[in-house]
Amino acid sequence: MTTRPPVPAPSDTGPATTAESAPADSGLQAGLKNRHLSMIAIGGVIGAGLFVGSGSGIAAAGPGILVSYALVGVLVVLVMRMLGEMAAANPTSGSFSAYADRALGRWAGFTIGWLYWFFWVVVLAVEATAGAKILAGWIPAVPQWGWALIVMTVLTATNLASVSSYGEFEFWFAGIKVVAIAVFIVIGGLAIFGLLPGSDHPASGFSYLTAHGGFLPNGPGAILTGVLMVVFSFMGSEIVTLAAGETADPRAAVTKATNSVIWRIAVFYLGSILIVVSLLRWDDPAILKDGSYVAALSSIGIPHAAQIMNAIVLTSVLSCLNSGLYTASRMAFSLGRRNDAPASFGRATGRGVPRAAILASVVFGFVAVAFNYLWPDTVFQFLLNSSGAIALFVWMVICFSQLRMRKIIERETPEKLVVRMWLYPYLTWATIALITFVLGYMLTDTADGGGRDQVILSTLVAIGVVIFALLRERRARGRESVTSS
């Protein structure tokens, strides 16, 4: 294992008091290889939501869901380009939280760091429950809560072992997802044109895109409805910028990863969804009943399609759990390094593992899992709603941070500006406007647990964290003034 250049360990010097005073990733090791980061970059874009959530989007928007995915894909590409610009200039385990700390103020780094941690802790509970449900269906002798406990324990042990263990697990998890989608696109493409041996699927070509009510059977407004349904399935793209800090050459790794995000989204999201809506009528009842991918596989005569897809979804769930725990722990570690979390969070073991940050994250994950079993419609629903819009808040903060960080980098270290945001600052402002529009449109979704509930509760939680951060900062300044006098 190649280690990072020696730096003072937190246990020797204490955590850094600001984002600039010490490397935010002190004590971590470069245990991730290029092949690990490549698969983390690809796997971060392919979540379980693509497999299980796309059916409702197709039912709502028809073939026009392709436009919804394309719009969100463009948004993610722009955000990742901004994040890539900052991460290539200064790779750190805190990523956008550390950049917000530097560009917008300590309160901003504190707020977005803890909100992001909270988001992934809730995701741990959601994914653990989803994985346990599949496993309990296969082996009912073990209760569902038992499978959730087993899955969480195994992945916790993996993350505690070393960062290379996390990377190796994610390499294979992501590899299975990539191969599955690639095979699906090839088989589906052959079936669309009647070239798949043994299949009696008619050679429909792309006629289903317009043959049943047109490309937008529910009107142009359905595109925006589709956007709300698919936007959160893209969350996770930014994980690669956190992981890059634990590679031997983080600048080159993050540059390569952010530059490849366009083709990854085009192939895995737009390509696979195009196959689904070309194989089936958009209003086929099987899309909602069985799921879009299972319905597509069944339509071309693939036996045991449901079980095959369950195995792929389980892999995606385990991948999300693995990455979620890694991401939450690294954000907690960075917060600890900046004195924005308990000092123990900012310490790493001799193997470069932030043990306290991992254990704290998984404990809250277990608590959230318990809430899901004990009070699914009250406490856990509140957790889901109050974290629902955090993804968009994170992207918004990345935009505002990049506006300021570009000037800082150009002034202090212009040679590190190896990745540049296109048409700066105009595209940055356009991205901010698009995110604001999506948040505003979510307020029109008045269904129980829908967009309005998510925006309102997430905003209230965010305001609470901001107030705490500002009071904390004010108290720290007060202590400093008393000490200096």
Side-chain angles (χ1 to χ4, degrees), residues 278-312:
S278 298
L279 283 172
L280 296 166
R281 293 178 47 151
W282 69 271
D283 55 354
D284 191 317
I287 290 179
L288 280 179
K289 180 176 178 289
D290 302 326
S292 55
Y293 289 81
V294 171
L297 290 173
S298 297
S299 73
I300 58 180
I302 302 296
H304 310 295
Q307 292 305 318
I308 292 173
M309 192 51 59
N310 269 342
I312 295 171

Side-chain angles (χ1 to χ4, degrees), residues 41-54:
I42 295 173
V45 182
I46 310 171
L50 174 62
F51 299 110
V52 299
S54 55

Side-chain angles (χ1 to χ4, degrees), residues 4 7-11 14-16 22-29 91-95 97-98 113-114 116-117 242 245-246 325-349 351-361:
R4 301 277 308 199
V7 290
S11 56
D25 51 351
S26 298
L28 299 181
Q29 295 182 346
T92 172
S93 62
S95 189
S97 173
W114 277 113
Y116 192 68
W117 179 87
L242 283 84
E246 293 179 76
L325 183 53
Y326 171 85
T327 304
S329 65
R330 268 33 177 203
M331 186 57 73
F333 173 80
S334 177
L335 289 166
R337 291 293 303 171
R338 288 177 276 144
N339 261 352
D340 287 337
S344 60
F345 285 13
R347 300 192 183 103
T349 66
R351 304 183 70 175
V353 174
R355 181 185 297 155
I358 291 174
L359 292 176
S361 300

Side-chain angles (χ1 to χ4, degrees), residues 170-396:
E170 190 58 25
F171 175 81
W172 291 106
F173 287 153
I176 293 172
K177 291 189 291 185
V178 170
V179 170
I181 291 186
V183 170
F184 175 79
I185 291 175
V186 171
I187 292 177
L190 291 173
I192 287 171
F193 296 103
L195 301 176
L196 183 65
S199 174
D200 57 357
H201 189 280
S204 55
F206 296 111
S207 62
Y208 282 162
L209 295 180
T210 56
H212 302 280
F215 187 71
L216 296 171
N218 295 325
I223 293 175
L224 296 177
T225 302
V227 166
L228 299 188
M229 292 181 170
V230 306
V231 65
F232 299 106
S233 66
F234 283 82
M235 191 64 173
S237 305
E238 68 290 332
I239 292 175
V240 67
T241 62
L242 283 84
E246 293 179 76
T247 62
D249 190 354
R251 184 163 291 111
V254 78
T255 300
K256 180 180 178 182
T258 54
N259 285 340
S260 65
V261 71
I262 297 176
W263 72 260
R264 287 185 271 127
I265 289 175
V267 172
F268 297 117
Y269 275 87
L270 293 179
S272 62
I273 295 298
L274 175 61
I275 295 296
V276 171
V277 294
S278 298
L279 283 172
L280 296 166
R281 293 178 47 151
W282 69 271
D283 55 354
D284 191 317
I287 290 179
L288 280 179
K289 180 176 178 289
D290 302 326
S292 55
Y293 289 81
V294 171
L297 290 173
S298 297
S299 73
I300 58 180
I302 302 296
H304 310 295
Q307 292 305 318
I308 292 173
M309 192 51 59
N310 269 342
I312 295 171
V313 170
L314 178 62
T315 301
S316 295
V317 165
L318 295 176
S319 171
C320 190
L321 270 170
N322 194 38
S323 289
L325 183 53
Y326 171 85
T327 304
S329 65
R330 268 33 177 203
M331 186 57 73
F333 173 80
S334 177
L335 289 166
R337 291 293 303 171
R338 288 177 276 144
N339 261 352
D340 287 337
S344 60
F345 285 13
R347 300 192 183 103
T349 66
R351 304 183 70 175
V353 174
R355 181 185 297 155
I358 291 174
L359 292 176
S361 300
V362 81
V363 163
F364 279 92
F366 275 125
V367 170
V369 169
F371 287 156
N372 193 12
Y373 283 103
L374 297 174
W375 303 289
D377 299 322
T378 52
V379 178
F380 190 68
Q381 187 62 42
F382 170 80
L383 292 179
L384 286 177
N385 290 338
S386 59
S387 64
I390 286 177
L392 292 169
F393 293 168
V394 167
W395 293 349
M396 184 79 81

Side-chain angles (χ1 to χ4, degrees), residues 119 232 384-395 435 439 442 451 453-459:
F119 171 86
F232 299 106
L384 286 177
N385 290 338
S386 59
S387 64
I390 286 177
L392 292 169
F393 293 168
V394 167
W395 293 349
I435 295 172
L439 285 168
M442 286 178 69
D453 290 346
Q454 293 177 21
V455 171
I456 292 175
L457 289 176
S458 295
T459 300

